[in-house]
Amino acid sequence: RQSLATHTSIAELVKQVTDSDDFIDALRCQQEFTNGLETDKVHPLIEDCIAKSEKISKVLRLICIQSICNDGLKPKVLDFYKREIIQTYGFEHVVTLNNLEKTGMLRPHGARTYQVIRKSLKLIVDEVNEQNPTD
């Protein structure tokens, strides 16, 4: 009985987060990146998150996803994100950005290997029924 109450409470908390506009916007942004949409320019959601000083982890996660899905960012886009992060969150994040670059999570534009792999391995299914998924 206690276990059921705990699980119900957890489910309610998860639902509360997943029903929020912030979560839905971030999810939509991530889906656009994985589908190869809007990956080559500054994304409005990321720009808004930085302007609102949202959690740095959320901003960096979205930027890294964009970088990975686009096989890097255009130099102008990468410089814009770096400048905005440093101005908004402080110079101590220069080290954070440098570490992300060292790991390859954040890098200048290179060959488009993700797009090739995505298509050849059919990682994205275009026709999906979200109400009754088949996978």
Side-chain angles (χ1 to χ4, degrees):
R1 186 171 278 178
Q2 177 65 28
S3 179
L4 179 62
T6 302
H7 286 284
T8 303
S9 296
I10 292 171
E12 288 172 356
L13 293 171
V14 169
K15 182 163 177 34
Q16 191 176 42
V17 170
T18 58
D19 285 346
S20 73
D21 289 338
D22 287 343
F23 179 85
I24 293 169
D25 290 342
L27 178 63
R28 187 176 298 120
C29 177
Q30 292 172 39
Q31 288 174 335
E32 287 174 4
F33 291 154
T34 57
N35 288 326
L37 305 173
E38 303 289 325
T39 58
D40 61 343
K41 55 188 171 186
V42 174
H43 197 279
L45 178 67
I46 296 173
E47 198 172 7
D48 289 345
C49 289
I50 294 170
K52 294 176 187 173
S53 296
E54 291 192 18
K55 289 183 181 178
I56 186 73
S57 58
K58 176 182 179 179
V59 171
L60 292 174
R61 181 179 65 246
L62 291 173
I63 293 171
C64 288
I65 291 171
Q66 182 179 6
S67 177
I68 291 168
C69 290
N70 197 41
D71 293 314
L73 299 170
K74 288 184 176 179
K76 282 177 71 174
V77 173
L78 183 56
D79 290 342
F80 174 82
Y81 284 147
K82 285 180 180 179
R83 183 175 58 254
E84 291 297 311
I85 287 171
I86 292 167
Q87 287 177 352
T88 304
Y89 297 98
F91 69 92
E92 60 271 10
H93 288 290
V94 169
V95 175
T96 306
L97 295 168
N98 189 34
N99 287 338
L100 288 171
E101 286 187 68
K102 282 182 185 177
T103 61
M105 299 291 287
L106 192 58
R107 61 189 174 92
H109 198 37
R112 291 184 152 301
T113 54
Y114 175 76
Q115 267 67 347
V116 173
I117 291 171
R118 179 174 58 97
K119 287 178 184 173
S120 64
L121 296 178
K122 298 177 184 167
L123 296 178
I124 305 296
V125 180
D126 293 327
E127 301 297 321
V128 176
N129 183 347
E130 292 186 11
Q131 302 302 321
N132 296 313
T134 59
D135 55 351

